[in-house]
Amino acid sequence: MISMKNKILLFAIILISSLTSEKLAGQTKKDVYYVVDTLSTAPNNKIAELGTEGNLKYISFYCKCVPPYNRNLTFVYDPGKQNVQILREINHPTLSWKDLQELIVKAGAEFKHQYNLTILEVLPDKTYRSANVRLVLYPETTVDFEKL
């Protein structure tokens, strides 16, 4: 026989879990777009670096804006596995660097759960490489010794 206290507890757990699942089911990520133009930006004004590490491509912004604040903001994509397209024109509204930075600072590590970021890289032939990227989160640095 279940006591009244246990029945109330069970009811509360069921109620909370159903409310939480409804909230999660209703959440959708917002699509955001940012143009990276490293071709027409003077080297001393660049805010981003594009490169390859193994089979991944990365976009690293010179912004230490996600905790633990000791690394540049980095996004990656796998050109062999993800949908990478070449576009002749941009058909979506794009964010300014200031707007993107504000979203990232506000969302922090939750950015990847709240937004789908597509980077549009300007190519030499005036087209754009479109890639859906994911935020790289680094673990906090640990100290194995103490200075005396």
Side-chain angles (χ1 to χ4, degrees):
M1 196 98 190
I2 299 176
S3 70
M4 183 58 107
K5 183 178 177 182
N6 287 343
K7 285 181 184 179
I8 292 172
L9 183 62
L10 182 61
F11 176 74
I13 290 171
I14 292 171
L15 180 64
I16 290 170
S17 67
S18 69
L19 291 175
T20 304
S21 65
E22 284 177 23
K23 182 178 177 185
L24 292 175
Q27 279 184 336
T28 57
K29 290 183 179 182
K30 182 176 181 184
D31 293 326
V32 292
Y33 300 85
Y34 180 74
V35 177
V36 174
D37 185 0
T38 58
L39 299 176
S40 64
T41 306
N44 58 340
N45 288 333
K46 290 189 183 211
I47 61 165
E49 171 187 326
L50 301 154
T52 304
E53 186 71 35
N55 62 347
L56 296 177
K57 296 245 182 204
Y58 68 86
I59 297 97
S60 185
F61 292 94
Y62 306 134
C63 168
K64 296 179 180 179
C65 38
V66 176
Y69 303 111
N70 60 353
R71 297 234 169 88
N72 286 334
L73 177 66
T74 303
F75 294 91
V76 296
Y77 69 95
D78 184 345
K81 293 185 180 180
Q82 292 180 317
N83 189 13
V84 177
Q85 300 175 353
I86 303 298
L87 307 173
R88 293 194 187 280
E89 59 186 46
I90 300 171
N91 296 322
H92 305 282
T94 59
L95 297 174
S96 68
W97 168 242
K98 181 183 176 203
D99 292 339
L100 178 60
Q101 190 177 16
E102 285 175 3
L103 284 179
I104 292 166
V105 168
K106 183 178 176 187
E110 292 301 309
F111 182 85
K112 66 182 183 175
H113 301 294
Q114 297 174 7
Y115 299 96
N116 288 319
L117 175 61
T118 300
I119 295 289
L120 302 158
E121 176 190 352
V122 178
L123 300 175
D125 62 355
K126 308 268 189 225
T127 59
Y128 303 89
R129 177 179 296 125
S130 168
N132 191 318
V133 297
R134 62 184 166 86
L135 176 63
V136 175
L137 295 173
Y138 298 99
E140 288 197 45
T141 311
T142 58
V143 178
D144 291 339
F145 64 91
E146 184 177 332
K147 282 186 172 181
L148 298 176

